[in-house]
Amino acid sequence: MRHILTCLFLSSAMLASTTGAQQTNTASQQTAASAQTSDSEQILFGDENQPGRSIHLEIVALINNGVDLDDAVSQSIAKVTREEDTLISGTARLVVGLNKGISVNFMRNMVNFNKLSDTTKGSIETFPGDAANVVQLAVTLYPNFAQEVIDSAITTGEIEPNDALLAAIAAGADPTSVSSATAAGGNVEVAGTPAGTGVGAGGAGGGDTTASTN
């Protein structure tokens, strides 16, 4: 009888030890996953007040769940442009939905580059005839970085400085805080070749590199 009780006691102790180890492993995995998500959020461009960052996070979440980049971007853009979706404001939703092709390209670039300047230039070089629309989209999604968008757009040579400025203001940029000149005070130099060449998906657009006369 004593032998049986001893065996039962040892079995219970081993079971408790195994269960405790499993719980510890599960907790560790959850902590690691939480830390990984937190790290991902910290390294994404922008801050929590930028609609573009919210979309970026949505795309990254889908990718982490096994969705490939193109599908993740397309699904996220389709989701945020639904009237019932509340991830971004109504104004941002309208701008993103005006030309989903540009929006998809822009956010794909942002996921690839995680840099607003390269993202803006890449999309303009892919859609040179829609440079003003790209500027409007970029400023709408990253309103606190309007000047960076303007400067990046001008360097592509696909849009006149004043046109880039007007597009940014139309998207809500504060006219007193943006200009068509660089921070150094001089005019932005226009690149002779596409700035996005070799800079990831959608970044090597063709088209005339001379400044637009619109």
Side-chain angles (χ1 to χ4, degrees):
M1 182 67 176
R2 181 181 300 172
H3 178 69
I4 294 174
L5 291 175
T6 301
C7 289
L8 289 174
F9 175 77
L10 291 175
S11 297
S12 298
M14 292 175 63
L15 179 61
S17 176
T18 301
T19 301
Q22 290 175 340
Q23 291 175 340
T24 300
N25 289 337
T26 300
S28 298
Q29 291 172 353
Q30 291 174 341
T31 300
S34 177
Q36 185 176 16
T37 300
S38 178
D39 289 343
S40 296
E41 291 180 1
Q42 290 177 1
I43 64 175
L44 296 186
F45 181 87
D47 56 55
E48 61 184 9
N49 296 318
Q50 310 309 302
R53 190 172 187 272
S54 297
I55 299 175
H56 196 165
L57 284 168
E58 185 83 9
I59 296 169
V60 170
L62 289 175
I63 292 173
N64 288 341
N65 285 328
V67 181
D68 67 54
L69 174 60
D70 287 344
D71 286 342
V73 174
S74 296
Q75 289 176 27
S76 296
I77 293 299
K79 177 180 180 293
V80 301
T81 52
R82 295 190 189 117
E83 188 173 350
E84 67 274 13
D85 192 79
T86 58
L87 184 65
I88 58 178
S89 71
T91 300
R93 186 188 312 121
L94 178 62
V95 173
V96 171
L98 282 176
N99 193 322
K100 290 185 179 180
I102 294 177
S103 298
V104 166
N105 176 270
F106 183 89
M107 288 311 305
R108 186 193 301 118
N109 286 344
M110 180 55 80
V111 174
N112 282 331
F113 308 148
N114 197 32
K115 189 175 180 181
L116 184 57
S117 57
D118 286 345
T119 296
T120 301
K121 288 186 285 188
S123 290
I124 288 177
E125 287 154 7
T126 302
F127 300 97
D130 290 302
N133 290 332
V134 173
V135 171
Q136 185 176 9
L137 173 68
V139 173
T140 298
L141 294 181
Y142 295 92
N144 290 356
F145 301 87
Q147 188 62 59
E148 182 174 345
V149 172
I150 294 170
D151 293 345
S152 301
I154 295 171
T155 62
T156 66
E158 300 293 351
I159 186 170
E160 293 285 355
N162 284 340
D163 290 339
L165 177 62
L166 291 174
I169 293 174
D174 181 358
T176 65
S177 65
V178 293
S179 72
S180 57
T182 63
N187 290 330
V188 178
E189 291 187 6
V190 176
T193 57
T197 301
V199 194
D208 186 5
T209 58
T210 58
S212 170
T213 56
N214 292 337

